[in-house]
Amino acid sequence: MKRNLTPIATAVAILISSTAAMAQDASKTPDAVVTVTGVRAALAQSINQKRNADSLVEVITAEDVGKMPDKSVADSLQRVPGVSVATAGGSEGGFGENDRVSLKGTPSNLTLTTLNGHTVSSGDWYISNITGGGRSVSYSMFPSELIGRVTVHKSSQANLTEGGAAGNVDIETRKPLSFKKPLTLMGSIEGAYGDAAKKTDLQVSALANWKNQENNLGVLVQVFDEKRTLRRMGQEFLWWDKLTKGFAPDWIAKNPEVENKYLSMLTGSSLFQQKRERKGGMVDVEVKVNSDFSFDVSGLYTRLDADNVNANFMLAPYQPLSNNWSGVGGVVPSAYTITGNQITSITFPKTCPVASCANMGPSVQDIIARPGSYSDSKFVNVDWKYRVNDDLKFTGQIGTTRGTGYARDYGYEAWLAYSGTSLTMHGLDAPATVTVDNAGTFNPRTGADFFGGWASDTTAKDKETYGQVDGTYKTPWDMVPTIRMGLRTAKHDRQLTWLAGTVAPAGSQLANRPTGLTTYPTSPLDNVLQNPWTFTADSMKEWGDKYVTFDSHSYQNEFTIAEKAHAAYAMADLNVGAITGNFGVRFVKTEINVANGSPNTVWNPVYTSKTYNDFLPSLNLRTDLANNVVLRGAASRTLARPDFGALGSLSLNDLTFSGTGGNPNLKPIYSNNVDAGIEWYFMPKSLIAMSVYDMHLGSYVTFGSSVAQFFNQSTHSVTNYNMSSALNTKARVKGVELQYSQDLGNGFGASVNYTYADGKETGKAPKSACADLGDCSMIGTSKNSYNASVFYENDKFSARLNYSFRSAFLNGLDRNSAIYQDDVGTVSLALNYNLTENLTLSFEGKDLNDPLLKSYATTKDQPRAFYKNGKQFFLGVRGKM
């Protein structure tokens, strides 16, 4: 361990020598240091911080993270009551790593995430999230090794940065002067094995911290490099539609009972493969110049390289039914069944029953390679503290943060020759049974173009520059012992660039197809099409690099947004008899300028400017009903700003003639909130708590439907698209949170929490699902979620087993249709054995129950996807000295 960490220690020494002169006159009085070891000690620290807080909070410490298989901060937060996590940023399905965090059953964009109290920009690597322009932070960017502590603010305070209508999550990193020893070295190395991909990858992290004997100068350096190979196999239903005479003229003429019945028009066997590498580091220099003045300079860079390829072998019954939209000579199925309003099974003859099937393509393979996809996040931040006297203190913060999301898509679509096919639906109980004759053979159709290709190159850049100053004044008044005030200003810029790819004519020729012909690995899912053909990621990249050029902008998809926010607040602490707490108000002025693209060959955007002035009051009260019983109450008005994509983006799907569009006139999302809670600390390191909340959102963002015309890159013509556009409406969320934690003695402990959330749109926005279909669900609201955890530890060994569950929730929109994720539960396990005082052997497992992710449309008899990511195992060694 010493030999491996020498380069880091050397870098620390160089940095120390360059900054030591700054602290020669600093105070020599060391601060008290609290050392926490063990799960139970960390549990006690978290409970004590919750108990002593004036507002409703939850706290996670570094030790909690170290004793669970947490690979991102979101993994740690999923065990907190009132917190929901998702393994994807949108409706793309999960990838086995928690990526988004939300509070109180609301969408993740209503939760503000900060790092050490300041905002942090991050990007996305998945194209729909890049173009969607979300504000929520991608937690995949931040490994759990960064955590010193995480504080979840469930009720608002005037001194918290605005932007979290549902609450704020603050990730605090370790600070150099908080360590006990002058020199601390920590590191880990482990193998990460995914049983779906059948591959083991290396993950390493290291931390070096130095501080001088006077405890007035410290330097921390942290690095990480974590690789992971993903393989997600599944089944997707990309297009549900009603049968009309345009789809199936001959079938309807002979069997009129099938008209207007729903049929899955595209049922795909999907294979997603990805190589991820999360790497980066952090440097933090903390200096106490003297007893009155100190400052901290920190910088972080993290990058997630996310090369991936997605293949989808799709059964397309509308092709033989319509004879490739010819309107004549369609194939009549040899067998079918109808249940309710749905065609639940359909079988096509093995040989072509009409004069010519050369134009038909009853199945199609879509392969999308995304070489070079990545996201990154970085910041440079300066914190300072200045004590004027014993009664007046100031703190300040200034910095800049940037994030990038990038994806280049090479799409290759091959229509196959006629063959016998069949489809049998099983609702959401199991994947559909799909058969395609000779699916393992590349056999393109000959009577019509077999090839359809597309490409895009998208980049989202996010930047914020911020500065703030906060003052604390100790008053002579017992009832108002402290007054706090502050100013903050921030300038935020978001830009989406979309380059349209042009496929050279030679690239569509059969002779020039990608050379890496192969087949899917065997799927772990029953019924799905097994081992169909596909192309390798490398051959797709080679084909795209050779035949695709990006020489024009898709200006209709691009946007730029400039946003300025200026805030001032005043807040007073209260101490009125047995009641303590705080009250205050925050004033925020938001100026936003949106430049939306339009269907032009030059950048000629439509400009929209808006200004909003808002007062955000807050009140937090607490009292001790008894020696170990705390009663809390809170009321506040909060806001969140709409996603950038909801303001500016346009995203079109040329295959299903659908899309989503932004609305630059959207208002901020305002929420009037009431919270109340009671906590019983019935024994040391133990807690029983209940809280209730009620949120009234006056300008929640939903989507209404419309029809608009855009240029279709696949048909090369102007086409009608079914569009979903962002609109303001009203919504309400109310819920109950229950929590139990106890040190059971003899090394054993347990914790359980449960959250009930009822979130509904209460407004009837025009053409919205709530107005037209009566579906008023809010995105991200699971009615029921809970976590159960048990642990054991002694001086040599510790073990922790956890089960997390959340019920079905609306996950977003995809191809102009609502997507719901069904109930899902996950099991995780962590085992640690101390080989020596400084060396620990660890074994961790995630998703040990091998969960099946299931999603559906408005009703469960129309499934949208089944996915399996497989189990994950981590075996490693952690060292410290």
Side-chain angles (χ1 to χ4, degrees):
M1 291 296 296
K2 290 182 180 179
R3 185 166 55 251
N4 291 339
L5 290 173
T6 297
I8 297 175
T10 303
V12 172
I14 294 172
L15 190 54
I16 291 167
S17 64
S18 65
T19 58
M22 301 174 60
Q24 288 179 354
D25 296 328
S27 169
K28 299 182 182 299
T29 303
D31 285 351
V33 177
V34 177
T35 303
V36 177
T37 60
V39 175
R40 289 170 295 168
L43 178 64
Q45 188 183 60
S46 297
I47 287 177
N48 286 337
Q49 292 178 44
K50 174 183 176 70
R51 180 176 185 172
N52 295 327
D54 285 333
S55 58
L56 281 86
V57 301
E58 304 290 345
V59 180
I60 302 174
T61 69
E63 187 68 24
D64 289 325
V65 175
K67 293 297 188 294
M68 276 302 294
D70 297 325
K71 301 307 170 189
S72 76
V73 179
D75 290 341
S76 308
L77 287 169
Q78 71 175 329
R79 301 190 302 278
V80 172
V83 175
S84 298
V85 298
T87 57
S91 58
E92 69 271 18
F95 298 107
E97 184 174 36
N98 291 317
D99 185 65
R100 290 301 196 276
V101 168
S102 58
L103 298 178
K104 298 181 178 179
T106 63
S108 57
N109 65 336
L110 301 189
T111 297
L112 178 68
T113 298
T114 55
L115 198 65
N116 295 327
H118 62 79
T119 54
V120 57
S121 294
S122 70
D124 287 292
W125 57 267
Y126 192 78
I127 186 169
S128 65
N129 295 327
I130 295 173
T131 58
R135 289 183 186 262
S136 61
V137 168
S138 173
Y139 280 73
S140 296
M141 303 296 299
F142 306 108
S144 59
E145 289 85 358
L146 291 175
I147 297 176
R149 182 175 67 174
V150 181
T151 303
V152 180
H153 296 272
K154 295 182 178 179
S155 63
S156 185
Q157 295 184 160
N159 62 340
L160 293 175
T161 302
E162 76 285 347
N168 293 40
V169 177
D170 186 40
I171 303 170
E172 300 175 47
T173 60
R174 298 175 174 93
K175 291 299 177 181
L177 297 184
S178 67
F179 286 77
K180 182 179 180 180
K181 298 179 180 179
L183 179 64
T184 302
L185 302 177
M186 302 171 62
S188 68
I189 180 169
E190 64 183 6
Y193 176 78
D195 76 333
K198 310 298 183 187
K199 191 174 188 321
T200 301
D201 297 296
L202 184 66
Q203 300 192 342
V204 296
S205 67
L207 178 151
N209 189 84
W210 173 92
K211 66 175 187 177
N212 62 5
Q213 294 291 338
E214 294 79 9
N215 201 45
N216 54 33
L217 172 63
V219 181
L220 180 150
V221 178
Q222 197 166 359
V223 295
F224 51 88
D225 189 339
E226 301 171 338
K227 298 178 181 178
R228 182 174 167 224
T229 302
L230 285 85
R231 177 185 291 165
R232 186 185 75 180
M233 304 193 73
Q235 187 180 79
E236 298 177 343
F237 303 80
L238 291 93
W239 181 14
W240 285 92
D241 217 328
K242 288 183 177 181
L243 283 170
T244 62
K245 292 179 180 178
F247 279 116
D250 291 3
W251 189 20
I252 291 175
K254 293 182 179 181
N255 304 94
E257 71 273 12
V258 302
E259 188 171 9
N260 291 323
K261 295 297 187 291
Y262 279 97
L263 176 65
S264 176
M265 300 295 182
L266 286 172
T267 306
S269 298
S270 64
L271 169 64
F272 177 88
Q273 299 179 96
Q274 185 178 53
K275 294 182 179 179
R276 289 189 179 188
E277 184 174 7
R278 178 172 56 199
K279 54 189 177 182
M282 184 172 183
V283 177
D284 194 313
V285 179
E286 192 175 8
V287 180
K288 290 186 177 181
V289 178
N290 52 48
S291 59
D292 295 326
F293 180 65
S294 64
F295 66 90
D296 181 283
V297 181
S298 59
L300 169 75
Y301 177 74
T302 176
R303 175 180 170 121
L304 182 67
D305 290 321
D307 287 14
N308 64 92
V309 60
N310 189 73
N312 209 341
F313 194 108
M314 294 177 286
L315 186 67
Y318 71 90
Q319 276 280 318
L321 290 174
S322 66
N323 201 344
N324 195 13
W325 302 110
S326 66
V328 294
V331 177
V332 176
S334 57
Y336 65 91
T337 59
I338 299 174
T339 304
N341 67 344
Q342 184 183 130
I343 307 295
T344 50
S345 71
I346 185 171
T347 301
F348 291 95
K350 289 184 176 296
T351 58
C352 180
V354 298
S356 176
C357 285
N359 292 337
M360 300 179 191
S363 56
V364 58
Q365 170 75 279
D366 272 14
I367 309 167
I368 308 172
R370 302 184 182 98
S373 294
Y374 77 93
S375 56
D376 70 13
S377 180
K378 66 195 81 169
F379 71 77
V380 175
N381 179 78
V382 179
D383 288 288
W384 56 268
K385 297 178 181 179
Y386 176 63
R387 186 175 70 96
V388 179
N389 52 48
D390 290 341
D391 296 329
L392 182 61
K393 298 178 182 179
F394 289 97
T395 62
Q397 195 173 70
I398 186 170
T400 183
T401 178
R402 300 186 182 189
T404 305
Y406 173 77
R408 169 172 286 190
D409 277 24
Y410 290 140
Y412 194 99
E413 185 175 270
W415 287 93
L416 306 181
Y418 182 88
S419 63
T421 61
S422 69
L423 170 69
T424 302
M425 300 298 304
H426 306 294
L428 204 62
D429 293 334
T433 302
V434 177
T435 64
V436 178
D437 291 348
N438 303 316
T441 304
F442 178 69
N443 183 25
R445 70 186 181 190
T446 57
D449 290 341
F450 85 95
F451 169 79
W454 71 92
S456 64
D457 187 284
T458 55
T459 305
K461 292 187 177 295
D462 191 86
K463 176 184 177 182
E464 181 167 300
T465 302
Y466 56 86
Q468 74 178 65
V469 60
D470 301 271
T472 302
Y473 173 64
K474 291 184 178 180
T475 75
W477 312 308
D478 293 337
M479 296 178 61
V480 184
T482 306
I483 294 177
R484 308 172 194 274
M485 71 291 289
L487 300 171
R488 185 179 189 273
T489 184
K491 183 179 183 298
H492 201 117
D493 297 290
R494 183 66 167 250
Q495 180 181 33
L496 176 68
T497 302
W498 186 308
L499 301 179
T502 301
V503 181
S508 64
Q509 296 176 7
L510 183 59
N512 294 326
R513 65 167 176 79
T515 58
L517 186 63
T518 184
T519 58
Y520 284 26
T522 301
S523 175
L525 297 177
D526 294 331
N527 303 330
V528 303
L529 188 66
Q530 293 288 346
N531 309 116
W533 71 269
T534 188
F535 295 132
T536 63
D538 290 341
S539 67
M540 280 293 300
K541 181 181 185 302
E542 182 181 0
W543 172 84
D545 290 346
K546 185 174 183 179
Y547 295 111
V548 178
T549 56
F550 299 92
D551 50 13
S552 63
H553 284 258
S554 179
Y555 287 119
Q556 68 184 21
N557 298 97
E558 297 187 351
F559 65 83
T560 61
I561 296 177
E563 182 179 87
K564 295 180 180 179
H566 311 286
Y569 76 87
M571 186 177 83
D573 291 348
L574 291 174
N575 187 4
V576 182
I579 298 175
T580 60
N582 59 63
F583 72 96
V585 63
R586 189 178 187 91
F587 171 77
V588 183
K589 179 179 182 180
T590 304
E591 303 171 6
I592 186 164
N593 296 282
V594 181
N596 292 82
S598 56
N600 297 308
T601 56
V602 296
W603 177 243
N604 185 24
V606 177
Y607 292 95
T608 306
S609 298
K610 296 288 182 180
T611 299
Y612 304 98
N613 296 306
D614 300 297
F615 287 93
L616 307 174
S618 61
L619 171 68
N620 290 276
L621 300 174
R622 57 155 289 167
T623 187
D624 291 342
L625 293 181
N627 187 36
N628 294 310
V629 179
V630 178
L631 178 67
R632 300 183 186 275
S636 64
R637 180 172 173 83
T638 54
L639 70 78
R641 300 180 176 95
D643 281 343
F644 296 110
L647 293 165
S649 76
L650 175 66
S651 180
L652 304 176
N653 187 294
D654 292 337
L655 186 63
T656 59
F657 311 110
S658 62
T660 58
N663 177 2
N665 294 304
L666 287 176
K667 298 177 182 178
I669 303 163
Y670 301 106
S671 181
N672 294 326
N673 316 299
V674 176
D675 298 83
I678 187 168
E679 301 154 9
W680 179 27
Y681 300 89
F682 60 93
M683 59 181 294
K685 300 186 283 293
S686 302
L687 163 70
I688 293 176
M690 180 183 74
S691 61
V692 296
Y693 60 88
D694 194 351
M695 301 175 60
H696 290 259
L697 297 113
S699 48
Y700 177 73
V701 175
T702 189
F703 286 85
S705 61
S706 61
V707 177
Q709 290 190 332
F710 298 99
F711 184 78
N712 188 299
Q713 300 288 343
S714 295
T715 64
H716 304 288
S717 62
V718 176
T719 308
N720 286 334
Y721 284 77
N722 294 315
M723 299 295 296
S724 294
S725 301
L727 299 168
N728 284 122
T729 189
K730 295 181 179 180
R732 183 181 183 183
V733 188
K734 51 186 177 180
V736 179
E737 299 171 4
L738 304 176
Q739 184 179 5
Y740 159 75
S741 295
Q742 185 174 0
D743 181 0
L744 299 173
N746 297 317
F748 290 95
S751 63
V752 179
N753 63 67
Y754 166 78
T755 301
Y756 171 83
D758 183 14
K760 297 289 184 182
E761 291 184 22
T762 55
K764 304 289 184 180
K767 300 296 182 181
S768 67
C770 187
D772 291 356
L773 304 176
D775 184 355
C776 299
S777 302
M778 282 182 62
I779 292 176
T781 302
S782 291
K783 275 206 167 183
N784 300 288
S785 58
Y786 59 85
N787 296 274
S789 179
V790 293
F791 66 84
Y792 171 78
E793 69 173 352
N794 58 32
D795 292 341
K796 298 289 290 184
F797 175 74
S798 68
R800 190 163 186 174
L801 179 67
N802 190 81
Y803 179 76
S804 296
F805 171 87
R806 68 179 300 187
S807 61
F809 63 95
L810 177 62
N811 204 21
L813 296 174
D814 184 47
R815 299 169 179 88
N816 203 38
S817 174
I819 304 294
Y820 289 83
Q821 181 169 301
D822 199 27
D823 302 352
V824 62
T826 59
V827 176
S828 55
L829 170 70
L831 305 175
N832 295 274
Y833 183 75
N834 297 327
L835 298 171
T836 68
E837 182 181 355
N838 297 318
L839 200 61
T840 300
L841 179 67
S842 64
F843 173 79
E844 304 164 345
K846 289 186 61 180
D847 297 333
L848 296 180
N849 56 328
D850 197 13
L852 176 64
L853 298 180
K854 301 187 289 185
S855 62
Y856 56 93
T858 305
T859 60
K860 291 190 176 184
D861 62 350
Q862 289 188 3
R864 287 303 302 261
F866 297 88
Y867 294 124
K868 278 257 187 177
N869 288 289
K871 307 170 188 175
Q872 301 169 57
F873 303 94
F874 306 86
L875 178 63
V877 176
R878 297 194 305 268
K880 60 182 179 181
M881 60 174 294

